């Protein structure tokens, strides 16, 4: 599904493609690819030098290097915020080279308790981790990627994550914040 996060103090939207809309309440930050068209527009004057330096460093890396899950996460805060459409909370917008412009929309919602890369990034940069899917055994040390019952998710609490994934898209579609979409990824090996 495409989910639309509104830029703080603007009518502009950032489109995020996600296969896990059930985790929207756990999105504590967003990440844009360094090449994303909005980076220059949203970066604050205070963050401009750091962002420009980071973009140059990211451009020196190959796509294969950037996708390596074992390397240390890097990124920089843009100074801008987006509004999460399910709870109206401000979430900081970062750029990081693990997000690629050619994959999805080049923007992700970062769900720190339910995605391993987002979790590692959050721990490195001291970003809050918000669990929204119950870890049935409690053995995943802050990063449970499976299915279970929703928690900390407002009206969706107690529902199964698989049911919530469908329901939340329909609910957000009715408000103009989402659109169900089928995306195919074809890569030549």
């Amino acid at each position: 599904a495409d989910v639309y996060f509104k830029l703080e103090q603007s009518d502009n939207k950032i489109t995020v493609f996600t296969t896990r809309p059930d985790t929207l309440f756990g999105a504590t930050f967003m990440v844009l690819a360094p090449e994303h068209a909005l980076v220059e527009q949203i970066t604050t004057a205070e963050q401009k030098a750091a962002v420009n330096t980071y973009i140059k460093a990211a451009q020196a890396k190959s796509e294969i290097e950037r996708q390596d899950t074992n390397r240390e996460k890097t990124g920089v805060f843009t100074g801008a915020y987006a509004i999460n459409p399910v709870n109206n909370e401000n979430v900081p917008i970062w750029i990081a080279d693990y997000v690629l412009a050619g994959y999805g929309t080049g923007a992700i919602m970062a769900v720190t308790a339910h995605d391993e890369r987002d979790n590692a990034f959050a721990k490195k940069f001291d970003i809050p981790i918000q669990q929204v899917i119950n870890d049935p055994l409690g053995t995943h040390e802050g990063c449970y990627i499976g299915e279970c019952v929703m928690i900390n998710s407002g009206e969706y609490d107690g529902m199964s994550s698989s049911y919530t994934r469908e329901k939340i898209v329909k609910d957000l579609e009715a408000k103009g914040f989402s659109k169900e979409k089928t995306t195919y990824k074809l890569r030549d090996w």
Side-chain angles (χ1 to χ4, degrees), residues 113-131:
H114 306 292
D115 180 276
E116 291 166 340
R117 292 179 309 169
D118 298 342
N119 184 271
F121 192 93
K123 286 178 178 174
K124 178 175 180 180
F125 293 103
D126 199 28
I127 297 170
I129 296 172
Q130 175 66 33
Q131 184 179 0

Side-chain angles (χ1 to χ4, degrees), residues 61-145:
K61 296 177 186 171
S62 72
E63 192 171 303
I64 292 170
E65 287 175 293
R66 288 174 60 177
Q67 291 179 325
D68 182 359
T69 57
N70 294 322
R71 70 180 181 83
E72 184 178 352
K73 301 296 174 253
T74 64
V76 66
F77 177 48
T78 64
Y81 293 83
I83 300 170
N84 186 325
V86 294
N87 56 18
N88 291 316
E89 290 184 7
N90 286 348
V91 291
I93 304 171
W94 289 69
I95 62 170
D97 62 8
Y98 75 91
V99 177
L100 304 174
Y103 180 77
T105 64
I108 67 164
M109 58 179 210
V111 182
T112 54
H114 306 292
D115 180 276
E116 291 166 340
R117 292 179 309 169
D118 298 342
N119 184 271
F121 192 93
K123 286 178 178 174
K124 178 175 180 180
F125 293 103
D126 199 28
I127 297 170
I129 296 172
Q130 175 66 33
Q131 184 179 0
V132 294
I133 299 174
N134 187 38
D135 178 352
L137 301 176
T139 58
H140 294 89
E141 298 179 22
C143 190
Y144 176 68
I145 60 173

Side-chain angles (χ1 to χ4, degrees), residues 151-163:
I151 58 173
N152 302 317
S153 297
E155 66 186 90
Y156 304 98
D157 281 359
M159 296 179 187
S160 73
S161 53
S162 59
Y163 175 75

Side-chain angles (χ1 to χ4, degrees), residues 166-182:
E166 303 296 324
K167 180 161 178 36
I168 205 165
V169 169
K170 299 288 185 230
D171 292 350
L172 287 174
E173 273 183 325
K175 297 176 183 178
F177 286 111
S178 179
K179 180 181 175 186
E180 193 164 359
K181 180 179 182 179
T182 302

Side-chain angles (χ1 to χ4, degrees), residues 5-27:
F5 282 72
K6 185 178 169 203
L7 285 171
E8 183 186 44
Q9 302 174 352
S10 168
D11 286 333
N12 292 335
K13 296 182 212 172
I14 296 177
T15 303
V16 175
F17 175 78
T18 181
T19 60
R20 293 296 306 263
D22 52 324
T23 62
L24 269 161
F25 281 87

